[in-house]
Amino acid sequence: MRADIEKVLIDEEQLQTRVREMAQQLTREYAGKDPVFVGVLKGVVMFFGDIVKQIDTPCQIDFMWISSYQGTNSTGGMQVRRDVSVDIEGRHVVILEDIFDTGNSLEFTYHHLLSKKPASLKICTLLDKPERRNPSVTVKPDYTGFVIPNEFVVGYGLDYNEHYRNLPYVGILKPEIYG
Ligand code: IMP
Ligand code: MG
């Protein structure tokens, strides 16, 4: 598995340091607000677990699972496979994501959650790949862990064909793996 990685882009120590900083910022900004952290499955799992463990104020956690219909890139082609179970009306909600790429999935997720009338709604992403942004996407990350170049990355929750999620770092896949 590790032999398939061209280069480690963000190692475990860099991830932990940055995630701790982000958790401290969220703790400061959401103290006393009893926020709801909504993770978008599955890529967010490692980031989600690491960051919420270090958020030092009462909060709740929940998850969403969305998927896109095959063969489309448009935001209209997304569906909710698993919705939040906490009632978020009037709550302070932070969406946690692994990566903001074209932005299509977060555009969809954001508006889906906004329709439930939260008191506030923000986006926190571990990775941002701004070069890939779909120009028609209107949402943007409020909290970003790392801005990365336009490379396909795996590990720390991110997959290629559902593999490599368990790598403890974020790495760039060798081009020959793409086939
Ligand atoms: P979007 O293009 O911003 O809608 O991102 C959709 C999803 O594509 C993300 O949530 C990731 O699951 C996946 N994705 C985007 N870029 C990468 C990558 O470099 N590696 C692995 N998954 C990615
Ligand atoms: Mg994802």
Side-chain angles (χ1 to χ4, degrees), residues 40 64-70 72-81 97 102-110 112 134 137:
V40 184
M64 277 192 67
W65 188 18
I66 62 165
S67 63
S68 47
Y69 301 124
Q70 219 140 35
T72 177
N73 273 327
S74 76
T75 53
M78 304 249 171
Q79 61 180 332
V80 176
R81 293 177 72 164
E97 249 286 27
T102 63
N104 291 341
S105 56
L106 270 165
E107 180 86 12
F108 173 80
T109 304
Y110 184 89
H112 173 77
N134 174 348
V137 163

PDB file of all heavy atoms in Angstrom, residues 40 64-70 72-81 97 102-110 112 134 137:
ATOM      1  N   VAL A  40     -19.128  14.873   6.994  1.00  0.00           N
ATOM      2  CA  VAL A  40     -19.606  14.318   5.731  1.00  0.00           C
ATOM      3  C   VAL A  40     -18.808  13.038   5.445  1.00  0.00           C
ATOM      4  O   VAL A  40     -17.598  13.083   5.222  1.00  0.00           O
ATOM      5  CB  VAL A  40     -19.460  15.330   4.579  1.00  0.00           C
ATOM      6  CG1 VAL A  40     -20.051  14.761   3.299  1.00  0.00           C
ATOM      7  CG2 VAL A  40     -20.133  16.653   4.929  1.00  0.00           C
ATOM      8  N   MET A  64     -23.494  13.068   7.933  1.00  0.00           N
ATOM      9  CA  MET A  64     -24.285  12.980   6.704  1.00  0.00           C
ATOM     10  C   MET A  64     -23.511  12.127   5.725  1.00  0.00           C
ATOM     11  O   MET A  64     -22.288  12.100   5.748  1.00  0.00           O
ATOM     12  CB  MET A  64     -24.438  14.357   6.050  1.00  0.00           C
ATOM     13  CG  MET A  64     -25.546  15.184   6.625  1.00  0.00           C
ATOM     14  SD  MET A  64     -25.812  16.583   5.544  1.00  0.00           S
ATOM     15  CE  MET A  64     -26.444  15.775   4.084  1.00  0.00           C
ATOM     16  N   TRP A  65     -24.244  11.473   4.862  1.00  0.00           N
ATOM     17  CA  TRP A  65     -23.594  10.722   3.791  1.00  0.00           C
ATOM     18  C   TRP A  65     -24.298  11.119   2.506  1.00  0.00           C
ATOM     19  O   TRP A  65     -25.524  10.965   2.410  1.00  0.00           O
ATOM     20  CB  TRP A  65     -23.714   9.220   4.059  1.00  0.00           C
ATOM     21  CG  TRP A  65     -22.928   8.357   3.127  1.00  0.00           C
ATOM     22  CD1 TRP A  65     -21.896   8.738   2.319  1.00  0.00           C
ATOM     23  CD2 TRP A  65     -23.094   6.950   2.916  1.00  0.00           C
ATOM     24  NE1 TRP A  65     -21.406   7.660   1.615  1.00  0.00           N
ATOM     25  CE2 TRP A  65     -22.136   6.554   1.962  1.00  0.00           C
ATOM     26  CE3 TRP A  65     -23.961   5.995   3.439  1.00  0.00           C
ATOM     27  CZ2 TRP A  65     -22.025   5.240   1.525  1.00  0.00           C
ATOM     28  CZ3 TRP A  65     -23.847   4.690   3.002  1.00  0.00           C
ATOM     29  CH2 TRP A  65     -22.883   4.315   2.059  1.00  0.00           C
ATOM     30  N   ILE A  66     -23.550  11.688   1.588  1.00  0.00           N
ATOM     31  CA  ILE A  66     -24.155  12.095   0.314  1.00  0.00           C
ATOM     32  C   ILE A  66     -23.457  11.359  -0.822  1.00  0.00           C
ATOM     33  O   ILE A  66     -22.326  10.887  -0.669  1.00  0.00           O
ATOM     34  CB  ILE A  66     -24.052  13.617   0.086  1.00  0.00           C
ATOM     35  CG1 ILE A  66     -22.591  14.075   0.024  1.00  0.00           C
ATOM     36  CG2 ILE A  66     -24.788  14.390   1.160  1.00  0.00           C
ATOM     37  CD1 ILE A  66     -22.425  15.449  -0.547  1.00  0.00           C
ATOM     38  N   SER A  67     -24.123  11.236  -1.932  1.00  0.00           N
ATOM     39  CA  SER A  67     -23.452  10.657  -3.090  1.00  0.00           C
ATOM     40  C   SER A  67     -23.947  11.341  -4.349  1.00  0.00           C
ATOM     41  O   SER A  67     -25.029  11.933  -4.365  1.00  0.00           O
ATOM     42  CB  SER A  67     -23.707   9.155  -3.169  1.00  0.00           C
ATOM     43  OG  SER A  67     -25.069   8.916  -3.340  1.00  0.00           O
ATOM     44  N   SER A  68     -23.104  11.271  -5.377  1.00  0.00           N
ATOM     45  CA  SER A  68     -23.501  11.875  -6.648  1.00  0.00           C
ATOM     46  C   SER A  68     -23.974  10.779  -7.574  1.00  0.00           C
ATOM     47  O   SER A  68     -23.478   9.658  -7.533  1.00  0.00           O
ATOM     48  CB  SER A  68     -22.328  12.633  -7.264  1.00  0.00           C
ATOM     49  OG  SER A  68     -21.173  11.842  -7.231  1.00  0.00           O
ATOM     50  N   TYR A  69     -24.968  11.106  -8.383  1.00  0.00           N
ATOM     51  CA  TYR A  69     -25.395  10.157  -9.404  1.00  0.00           C
ATOM     52  C   TYR A  69     -24.228   9.965 -10.354  1.00  0.00           C
ATOM     53  O   TYR A  69     -23.484  10.899 -10.640  1.00  0.00           O
ATOM     54  CB  TYR A  69     -26.591  10.709 -10.191  1.00  0.00           C
ATOM     55  CG  TYR A  69     -27.791  11.011  -9.358  1.00  0.00           C
ATOM     56  CD1 TYR A  69     -28.347  12.273  -9.363  1.00  0.00           C
ATOM     57  CD2 TYR A  69     -28.376  10.031  -8.578  1.00  0.00           C
ATOM     58  CE1 TYR A  69     -29.464  12.562  -8.613  1.00  0.00           C
ATOM     59  CE2 TYR A  69     -29.495  10.314  -7.825  1.00  0.00           C
ATOM     60  CZ  TYR A  69     -30.032  11.582  -7.832  1.00  0.00           C
ATOM     61  OH  TYR A  69     -31.129  11.861  -7.084  1.00  0.00           O
ATOM     62  N   GLN A  70     -24.097   8.770 -10.887  1.00  0.00           N
ATOM     63  CA  GLN A  70     -22.973   8.493 -11.778  1.00  0.00           C
ATOM     64  C   GLN A  70     -23.072   9.315 -13.061  1.00  0.00           C
ATOM     65  O   GLN A  70     -24.158   9.555 -13.571  1.00  0.00           O
ATOM     66  CB  GLN A  70     -22.945   7.011 -12.138  1.00  0.00           C
ATOM     67  CG  GLN A  70     -21.527   6.485 -12.177  1.00  0.00           C
ATOM     68  CD  GLN A  70     -21.443   5.102 -11.579  1.00  0.00           C
ATOM     69  OE1 GLN A  70     -22.361   4.310 -11.717  1.00  0.00           O
ATOM     70  NE2 GLN A  70     -20.352   4.808 -10.912  1.00  0.00           N
ATOM     71  N   THR A  72     -22.319  12.487 -13.673  1.00  0.00           N
ATOM     72  CA  THR A  72     -22.646  13.909 -13.666  1.00  0.00           C
ATOM     73  C   THR A  72     -21.716  14.661 -12.730  1.00  0.00           C
ATOM     74  O   THR A  72     -21.237  14.127 -11.747  1.00  0.00           O
ATOM     75  CB  THR A  72     -24.113  14.171 -13.261  1.00  0.00           C
ATOM     76  OG1 THR A  72     -24.318  15.577 -13.220  1.00  0.00           O
ATOM     77  CG2 THR A  72     -24.465  13.565 -11.931  1.00  0.00           C
ATOM     78  N   ASN A  73     -21.461  15.902 -13.073  1.00  0.00           N
ATOM     79  CA  ASN A  73     -20.628  16.750 -12.237  1.00  0.00           C
ATOM     80  C   ASN A  73     -21.435  17.868 -11.600  1.00  0.00           C
ATOM     81  O   ASN A  73     -20.906  18.664 -10.854  1.00  0.00           O
ATOM     82  CB  ASN A  73     -19.511  17.388 -13.070  1.00  0.00           C
ATOM     83  CG  ASN A  73     -18.299  16.478 -13.137  1.00  0.00           C
ATOM     84  OD1 ASN A  73     -18.016  15.755 -12.178  1.00  0.00           O
ATOM     85  ND2 ASN A  73     -17.595  16.508 -14.241  1.00  0.00           N
ATOM     86  N   SER A  74     -22.704  17.927 -11.900  1.00  0.00           N
ATOM     87  CA  SER A  74     -23.484  19.081 -11.459  1.00  0.00           C
ATOM     88  C   SER A  74     -23.975  18.885 -10.031  1.00  0.00           C
ATOM     89  O   SER A  74     -24.156  17.774  -9.556  1.00  0.00           O
ATOM     90  CB  SER A  74     -24.675  19.302 -12.379  1.00  0.00           C
ATOM     91  OG  SER A  74     -25.666  18.343 -12.090  1.00  0.00           O
ATOM     92  N   THR A  75     -24.221  19.986  -9.351  1.00  0.00           N
ATOM     93  CA  THR A  75     -24.709  19.922  -7.969  1.00  0.00           C
ATOM     94  C   THR A  75     -26.098  19.307  -7.939  1.00  0.00           C
ATOM     95  O   THR A  75     -26.502  18.737  -6.944  1.00  0.00           O
ATOM     96  CB  THR A  75     -24.774  21.330  -7.338  1.00  0.00           C
ATOM     97  OG1 THR A  75     -25.526  22.163  -8.206  1.00  0.00           O
ATOM     98  CG2 THR A  75     -23.409  21.902  -7.138  1.00  0.00           C
ATOM     99  N   GLY A  76     -26.835  19.423  -9.034  1.00  0.00           N
ATOM    100  CA  GLY A  76     -28.161  18.839  -9.092  1.00  0.00           C
ATOM    101  C   GLY A  76     -28.126  17.330  -9.054  1.00  0.00           C
ATOM    102  O   GLY A  76     -29.128  16.680  -8.781  1.00  0.00           O
ATOM    103  N   GLY A  77     -26.956  16.742  -9.322  1.00  0.00           N
ATOM    104  CA  GLY A  77     -26.829  15.294  -9.372  1.00  0.00           C
ATOM    105  C   GLY A  77     -26.470  14.643  -8.051  1.00  0.00           C
ATOM    106  O   GLY A  77     -25.969  13.534  -8.036  1.00  0.00           O
ATOM    107  N   MET A  78     -26.710  15.334  -6.948  1.00  0.00           N
ATOM    108  CA  MET A  78     -26.334  14.769  -5.644  1.00  0.00           C
ATOM    109  C   MET A  78     -27.585  14.323  -4.891  1.00  0.00           C
ATOM    110  O   MET A  78     -28.659  14.883  -5.051  1.00  0.00           O
ATOM    111  CB  MET A  78     -25.637  15.831  -4.803  1.00  0.00           C
ATOM    112  CG  MET A  78     -24.448  16.428  -5.487  1.00  0.00           C
ATOM    113  SD  MET A  78     -22.955  15.952  -4.676  1.00  0.00           S
ATOM    114  CE  MET A  78     -21.772  16.557  -5.857  1.00  0.00           C
ATOM    115  N   GLN A  79     -27.391  13.339  -4.034  1.00  0.00           N
ATOM    116  CA  GLN A  79     -28.506  12.913  -3.196  1.00  0.00           C
ATOM    117  C   GLN A  79     -28.012  12.633  -1.777  1.00  0.00           C
ATOM    118  O   GLN A  79     -26.850  12.297  -1.573  1.00  0.00           O
ATOM    119  CB  GLN A  79     -29.172  11.670  -3.775  1.00  0.00           C
ATOM    120  CG  GLN A  79     -28.246  10.480  -3.873  1.00  0.00           C
ATOM    121  CD  GLN A  79     -28.918   9.248  -4.444  1.00  0.00           C
ATOM    122  OE1 GLN A  79     -30.117   9.079  -4.305  1.00  0.00           O
ATOM    123  NE2 GLN A  79     -28.127   8.388  -5.087  1.00  0.00           N
ATOM    124  N   VAL A  80     -28.935  12.771  -0.831  1.00  0.00           N
ATOM    125  CA  VAL A  80     -28.628  12.474   0.565  1.00  0.00           C
ATOM    126  C   VAL A  80     -28.865  10.992   0.791  1.00  0.00           C
ATOM    127  O   VAL A  80     -29.969  10.503   0.603  1.00  0.00           O
ATOM    128  CB  VAL A  80     -29.529  13.291   1.526  1.00  0.00           C
ATOM    129  CG1 VAL A  80     -29.265  12.899   2.974  1.00  0.00           C
ATOM    130  CG2 VAL A  80     -29.304  14.777   1.318  1.00  0.00           C
ATOM    131  N   ARG A  81     -27.809  10.272   1.187  1.00  0.00           N
ATOM    132  CA  ARG A  81     -27.982   8.846   1.496  1.00  0.00           C
ATOM    133  C   ARG A  81     -28.245   8.629   2.972  1.00  0.00           C
ATOM    134  O   ARG A  81     -28.863   7.658   3.374  1.00  0.00           O
ATOM    135  CB  ARG A  81     -26.737   8.060   1.063  1.00  0.00           C
ATOM    136  CG  ARG A  81     -26.579   8.054  -0.446  1.00  0.00           C
ATOM    137  CD  ARG A  81     -25.327   7.350  -0.855  1.00  0.00           C
ATOM    138  NE  ARG A  81     -25.430   5.907  -0.674  1.00  0.00           N
ATOM    139  CZ  ARG A  81     -24.583   5.045  -1.241  1.00  0.00           C
ATOM    140  NH1 ARG A  81     -23.610   5.481  -2.016  1.00  0.00           N
ATOM    141  NH2 ARG A  81     -24.706   3.764  -1.029  1.00  0.00           N
ATOM    142  N   GLU A  97     -15.455  18.526   6.582  1.00  0.00           N
ATOM    143  CA  GLU A  97     -15.212  17.792   5.337  1.00  0.00           C
ATOM    144  C   GLU A  97     -13.740  17.452   5.202  1.00  0.00           C
ATOM    145  O   GLU A  97     -12.885  18.118   5.779  1.00  0.00           O
ATOM    146  CB  GLU A  97     -15.617  18.664   4.140  1.00  0.00           C
ATOM    147  CG  GLU A  97     -16.845  18.181   3.392  1.00  0.00           C
ATOM    148  CD  GLU A  97     -16.631  16.946   2.520  1.00  0.00           C
ATOM    149  OE1 GLU A  97     -15.739  16.117   2.810  1.00  0.00           O
ATOM    150  OE2 GLU A  97     -17.373  16.817   1.538  1.00  0.00           O
ATOM    151  N   THR A 102     -13.894  20.534  -6.270  1.00  0.00           N
ATOM    152  CA  THR A 102     -14.711  21.388  -7.146  1.00  0.00           C
ATOM    153  C   THR A 102     -15.635  22.260  -6.292  1.00  0.00           C
ATOM    154  O   THR A 102     -16.035  23.340  -6.710  1.00  0.00           O
ATOM    155  CB  THR A 102     -15.585  20.550  -8.094  1.00  0.00           C
ATOM    156  OG1 THR A 102     -16.506  19.775  -7.325  1.00  0.00           O
ATOM    157  CG2 THR A 102     -14.743  19.634  -8.964  1.00  0.00           C
ATOM    158  N   GLY A 103     -15.973  21.758  -5.096  1.00  0.00           N
ATOM    159  CA  GLY A 103     -16.905  22.463  -4.217  1.00  0.00           C
ATOM    160  C   GLY A 103     -18.345  22.011  -4.411  1.00  0.00           C
ATOM    161  O   GLY A 103     -19.229  22.408  -3.656  1.00  0.00           O
ATOM    162  N   ASN A 104     -18.581  21.165  -5.404  1.00  0.00           N
ATOM    163  CA  ASN A 104     -19.956  20.737  -5.708  1.00  0.00           C
ATOM    164  C   ASN A 104     -20.630  20.066  -4.523  1.00  0.00           C
ATOM    165  O   ASN A 104     -21.791  20.343  -4.210  1.00  0.00           O
ATOM    166  CB  ASN A 104     -19.978  19.767  -6.894  1.00  0.00           C
ATOM    167  CG  ASN A 104     -19.612  20.447  -8.196  1.00  0.00           C
ATOM    168  OD1 ASN A 104     -19.681  21.664  -8.309  1.00  0.00           O
ATOM    169  ND2 ASN A 104     -19.204  19.661  -9.180  1.00  0.00           N
ATOM    170  N   SER A 105     -19.912  19.155  -3.855  1.00  0.00           N
ATOM    171  CA  SER A 105     -20.577  18.413  -2.782  1.00  0.00           C
ATOM    172  C   SER A 105     -20.845  19.311  -1.582  1.00  0.00           C
ATOM    173  O   SER A 105     -21.878  19.181  -0.926  1.00  0.00           O
ATOM    174  CB  SER A 105     -19.787  17.164  -2.392  1.00  0.00           C
ATOM    175  OG  SER A 105     -18.485  17.502  -2.038  1.00  0.00           O
ATOM    176  N   LEU A 106     -19.944  20.255  -1.300  1.00  0.00           N
ATOM    177  CA  LEU A 106     -20.212  21.153  -0.175  1.00  0.00           C
ATOM    178  C   LEU A 106     -21.293  22.175  -0.506  1.00  0.00           C
ATOM    179  O   LEU A 106     -22.047  22.589   0.368  1.00  0.00           O
ATOM    180  CB  LEU A 106     -18.928  21.831   0.308  1.00  0.00           C
ATOM    181  CG  LEU A 106     -18.237  20.999   1.388  1.00  0.00           C
ATOM    182  CD1 LEU A 106     -16.813  21.449   1.623  1.00  0.00           C
ATOM    183  CD2 LEU A 106     -19.020  21.036   2.702  1.00  0.00           C
ATOM    184  N   GLU A 107     -21.372  22.570  -1.761  1.00  0.00           N
ATOM    185  CA  GLU A 107     -22.459  23.473  -2.184  1.00  0.00           C
ATOM    186  C   GLU A 107     -23.814  22.804  -1.893  1.00  0.00           C
ATOM    187  O   GLU A 107     -24.725  23.396  -1.329  1.00  0.00           O
ATOM    188  CB  GLU A 107     -22.316  23.773  -3.684  1.00  0.00           C
ATOM    189  CG  GLU A 107     -23.381  24.692  -4.261  1.00  0.00           C
ATOM    190  CD  GLU A 107     -23.062  26.170  -4.105  1.00  0.00           C
ATOM    191  OE1 GLU A 107     -21.909  26.521  -3.750  1.00  0.00           O
ATOM    192  OE2 GLU A 107     -23.970  26.988  -4.329  1.00  0.00           O
ATOM    193  N   PHE A 108     -23.885  21.531  -2.253  1.00  0.00           N
ATOM    194  CA  PHE A 108     -25.112  20.765  -2.043  1.00  0.00           C
ATOM    195  C   PHE A 108     -25.392  20.576  -0.544  1.00  0.00           C
ATOM    196  O   PHE A 108     -26.492  20.829  -0.052  1.00  0.00           O
ATOM    197  CB  PHE A 108     -24.988  19.412  -2.739  1.00  0.00           C
ATOM    198  CG  PHE A 108     -26.128  18.480  -2.445  1.00  0.00           C
ATOM    199  CD1 PHE A 108     -27.334  18.601  -3.119  1.00  0.00           C
ATOM    200  CD2 PHE A 108     -26.001  17.477  -1.485  1.00  0.00           C
ATOM    201  CE1 PHE A 108     -28.393  17.745  -2.842  1.00  0.00           C
ATOM    202  CE2 PHE A 108     -27.050  16.625  -1.202  1.00  0.00           C
ATOM    203  CZ  PHE A 108     -28.248  16.759  -1.883  1.00  0.00           C
ATOM    204  N   THR A 109     -24.372  20.133   0.188  1.00  0.00           N
ATOM    205  CA  THR A 109     -24.528  19.859   1.626  1.00  0.00           C
ATOM    206  C   THR A 109     -24.913  21.131   2.384  1.00  0.00           C
ATOM    207  O   THR A 109     -25.793  21.116   3.248  1.00  0.00           O
ATOM    208  CB  THR A 109     -23.201  19.298   2.192  1.00  0.00           C
ATOM    209  OG1 THR A 109     -22.840  18.152   1.427  1.00  0.00           O
ATOM    210  CG2 THR A 109     -23.320  18.926   3.648  1.00  0.00           C
ATOM    211  N   TYR A 110     -24.250  22.233   2.038  1.00  0.00           N
ATOM    212  CA  TYR A 110     -24.508  23.509   2.711  1.00  0.00           C
ATOM    213  C   TYR A 110     -25.972  23.913   2.560  1.00  0.00           C
ATOM    214  O   TYR A 110     -26.641  24.246   3.540  1.00  0.00           O
ATOM    215  CB  TYR A 110     -23.586  24.592   2.138  1.00  0.00           C
ATOM    216  CG  TYR A 110     -23.711  25.927   2.824  1.00  0.00           C
ATOM    217  CD1 TYR A 110     -22.932  26.242   3.940  1.00  0.00           C
ATOM    218  CD2 TYR A 110     -24.613  26.886   2.365  1.00  0.00           C
ATOM    219  CE1 TYR A 110     -23.048  27.462   4.578  1.00  0.00           C
ATOM    220  CE2 TYR A 110     -24.747  28.114   3.001  1.00  0.00           C
ATOM    221  CZ  TYR A 110     -23.954  28.392   4.101  1.00  0.00           C
ATOM    222  OH  TYR A 110     -24.081  29.609   4.733  1.00  0.00           O
ATOM    223  N   HIS A 112     -28.510  22.068   1.682  1.00  0.00           N
ATOM    224  CA  HIS A 112     -29.377  21.066   2.321  1.00  0.00           C
ATOM    225  C   HIS A 112     -29.533  21.370   3.815  1.00  0.00           C
ATOM    226  O   HIS A 112     -30.644  21.379   4.358  1.00  0.00           O
ATOM    227  CB  HIS A 112     -28.787  19.663   2.115  1.00  0.00           C
ATOM    228  CG  HIS A 112     -29.525  18.613   2.870  1.00  0.00           C
ATOM    229  ND1 HIS A 112     -30.740  18.108   2.447  1.00  0.00           N
ATOM    230  CD2 HIS A 112     -29.261  17.995   4.052  1.00  0.00           C
ATOM    231  CE1 HIS A 112     -31.171  17.234   3.329  1.00  0.00           C
ATOM    232  NE2 HIS A 112     -30.296  17.136   4.299  1.00  0.00           N
ATOM    233  N   ASN A 134     -15.188  24.687  -9.106  1.00  0.00           N
ATOM    234  CA  ASN A 134     -16.240  24.936 -10.090  1.00  0.00           C
ATOM    235  C   ASN A 134     -16.664  26.401  -9.935  1.00  0.00           C
ATOM    236  O   ASN A 134     -17.069  26.809  -8.851  1.00  0.00           O
ATOM    237  CB  ASN A 134     -17.417  23.993  -9.797  1.00  0.00           C
ATOM    238  CG  ASN A 134     -18.625  24.263 -10.671  1.00  0.00           C
ATOM    239  OD1 ASN A 134     -18.712  25.267 -11.364  1.00  0.00           O
ATOM    240  ND2 ASN A 134     -19.572  23.358 -10.625  1.00  0.00           N
ATOM    241  N   VAL A 137     -19.822  27.460  -8.040  1.00  0.00           N
ATOM    242  CA  VAL A 137     -19.977  27.184  -6.604  1.00  0.00           C
ATOM    243  C   VAL A 137     -19.892  28.492  -5.819  1.00  0.00           C
ATOM    244  O   VAL A 137     -18.971  29.284  -6.029  1.00  0.00           O
ATOM    245  CB  VAL A 137     -18.904  26.171  -6.135  1.00  0.00           C
ATOM    246  CG1 VAL A 137     -18.758  26.168  -4.620  1.00  0.00           C
ATOM    247  CG2 VAL A 137     -19.244  24.779  -6.632  1.00  0.00           C
TER     248      VAL A 137
END
